[in-house]
Amino acid sequence: IGCEFFISECEYYECTENGFVGPFELDECDDAFGNVTLKVGNAIGLPGELIEVPLFYSSNVNLGGIQFTISDDPNIVQGVEIVSNVGDCFVANSNDVNGSLIGIIFSLEGCELESTPSTGGFNFASVLYEVNSNNFEWGTIVDLYFSEAIISDPQGQGLSVDTIDGSIVFSLIGDTSGDGEINVIDVVTLINFILLVDEP
């Protein structure tokens, strides 16, 4: 009783009078064995055009592969393709299933994604979306969030992952009124923002 049975370098079960309980994780594992953050970027979308949404990671250790599922709400966009920014050594593949994009980036040659502990992160890929619905309005914001994320180190061990959400906003640059057109109404709206008559 009181003995610990380790099932990995971080996780263990503890022996009690009622048998083994757990698993528990060592406090120092986050720092010693890797902290990874995945982030979905933001994008501006236009119907009829592909919308490119950047994906970022930051990590204090090298990575062996990334697998994720990104969901969108409301479900008016569909993932078309994932484009890798990490070179020819890595394979990127994706599929949109039931309104969520499942993506994976891995190397069959044992290549590694370099650690990048900076808060801004490294743009490792982009997801191309298209509008899959006619029920969309100007000013609509589609929330993009990781509903699942699995990151492994070069030895195939899982790492703890934090995620940051992103969005797609359907708007034209300069369309301050949000009506899908750029005209004198946008100039008046912008002046009202500057004079604090209206709030953006």
Side-chain angles (χ1 to χ4, degrees):
I1 294 176
C3 292
E4 298 165 342
F5 174 67
F6 279 82
I7 57 173
S8 72
E9 294 183 57
C10 290
E11 291 184 303
Y12 65 93
Y13 286 84
E14 187 171 304
C15 184
T16 68
E17 292 179 357
N18 298 323
F20 283 103
V21 294
F24 301 104
E25 187 169 310
L26 293 175
D27 292 337
E28 60 270 13
C29 275
D30 280 347
D31 295 330
F33 298 102
N35 277 330
V36 182
T37 301
L38 284 182
K39 176 182 176 184
V40 182
N42 298 310
I44 295 175
L46 297 174
E49 296 183 11
L50 288 178
I51 305 161
E52 185 174 346
V53 177
L55 302 177
F56 304 90
Y57 78 82
S58 58
S59 173
N60 62 347
V61 296
N62 287 359
L63 307 179
I66 300 174
Q67 179 181 331
F68 56 85
T69 302
I70 299 176
S71 298
D72 50 277
D73 184 34
N75 184 20
I76 61 173
V77 295
Q78 178 171 345
V80 176
E81 180 184 6
I82 182 171
V83 180
S84 171
N85 296 334
V86 291
D88 296 336
C89 192
F90 284 85
V91 176
N93 208 336
S94 65
N95 197 7
D96 198 295
V97 178
N98 298 326
S100 295
L101 179 93
I102 301 171
I104 186 168
I105 292 183
F106 63 96
S107 173
L108 294 172
E109 302 169 21
C111 298
E112 299 179 13
L113 297 170
E114 304 244 341
S115 63
T116 55
S118 67
T119 54
F122 174 71
N123 177 208
F124 69 94
S126 295
V127 177
L128 301 180
Y129 285 96
E130 64 183 5
V131 179
N132 68 355
S133 171
N134 294 327
N135 301 326
F136 118 92
E137 297 177 12
W138 290 104
T140 298
I141 298 174
V142 177
D143 293 319
L144 302 173
Y145 57 93
F146 289 103
S147 52
E148 183 180 17
I150 302 171
I151 310 288
S152 67
D153 66 12
Q155 289 73 42
Q157 294 292 319
L159 301 170
S160 62
V161 184
D162 294 319
T163 59
I164 300 173
D165 301 339
S167 63
I168 298 172
V169 178
F170 286 95
S171 176
L172 294 168
I173 294 176
D175 179 18
T176 54
S177 65
D179 62 2
E181 297 179 6
I182 298 177
N183 51 33
V184 70
I185 296 172
D186 299 306
V187 176
V188 173
T189 304
L190 184 59
I191 290 171
N192 286 340
F193 292 161
I194 293 170
L195 297 176
L196 303 177
V197 175
D198 294 323
E199 284 190 28

